[in-house]
Amino acid sequence: MEDNCIFCKIANGEIPSATLYEDEDFRVILDLGPASKGHALILPKSHAANLFDLPDELAAKAMILAKKTARKLQEGLHADGINVVQNNGEAAGQTVFHFHVHLIPRYKGDTVNLNWKPGELKDADKEEILGLFRS
Ligand code: AMP
Ligand code: ZN
């Protein structure tokens, strides 16, 4: 646990939350500022600021838990879809610096805004990025 981390306190039960699920590694809670009905957060009990700090084993478990929980939320709430979102860094919209996965049920015609305007893949960008992945 990290001092002054609100999600450490919530995940470890020091601060009460609307808990949907808990195991030795994670707590799943309802978001206090939901984007839609059923917006939930998956919180690891151990502190990791973001995805890059999260041990691989927990990253793998988080995705499996996201899959199970997302299915249950979507079916139980009769949602039409669900977004699985995970923000890293302020520029990416992260406001709480303890890794978490958002599960945001979606309903036809809702006003949740996760959209971007498609750009165009530039040749120079493509070459630069492909170069990063060449060995
Ligand atoms: P992010 O912007 O990805 O860091 O997401 C942080 C999320 O945490 C937001 O959706 C907030 O509404 C939510 N949040 C912040 N504080 C609390 C809290 N005490 N309990 C539940 N959700 C919270
Ligand atoms: Zn923390």
Side-chain angles (χ1 to χ4, degrees), residues 6-7 10 29-33 39 41 87 93-96 100 102:
I6 188 163
F7 279 5
I10 292 173
I29 67 167
L30 287 179
D31 195 298
L32 270 187
H39 184 168
L41 300 173
N87 300 325
Q94 187 175 9
T95 58
V96 179
H100 51 281
H102 294 262

Side-chain angles (χ1 to χ4, degrees), residues 65-128:
L65 183 54
K67 180 181 170 184
K68 280 186 192 154
T69 314
R71 191 198 301 277
K72 187 154 179 162
L73 282 168
Q74 178 166 332
E75 289 179 1
L77 294 173
H78 308 294
D80 301 304
I82 189 159
N83 290 111
V84 179
V85 176
Q86 196 275 309
N87 300 325
N88 298 286
E90 206 175 334
Q94 187 175 9
T95 58
V96 179
F97 293 88
H98 174 123
F99 171 91
H100 51 281
V101 179
H102 294 262
L103 304 174
I104 306 175
R106 299 300 303 273
Y107 305 89
K108 278 186 191 129
D110 70 27
T111 55
V112 177
N113 186 4
L114 294 173
N115 297 327
W116 57 88
K117 189 166 156 272
E120 199 178 316
L121 180 58
K122 297 187 183 77
D123 282 343
D125 290 350
K126 184 169 83 176
E127 287 313 314
E128 179 187 350

Side-chain angles (χ1 to χ4, degrees), residues 2-18:
E2 185 149 297
D3 288 349
N4 300 323
C5 174
I6 188 163
F7 279 5
C8 275
K9 294 190 172 88
I10 292 173
N12 289 283
E14 272 184 31
I15 294 178
S17 61

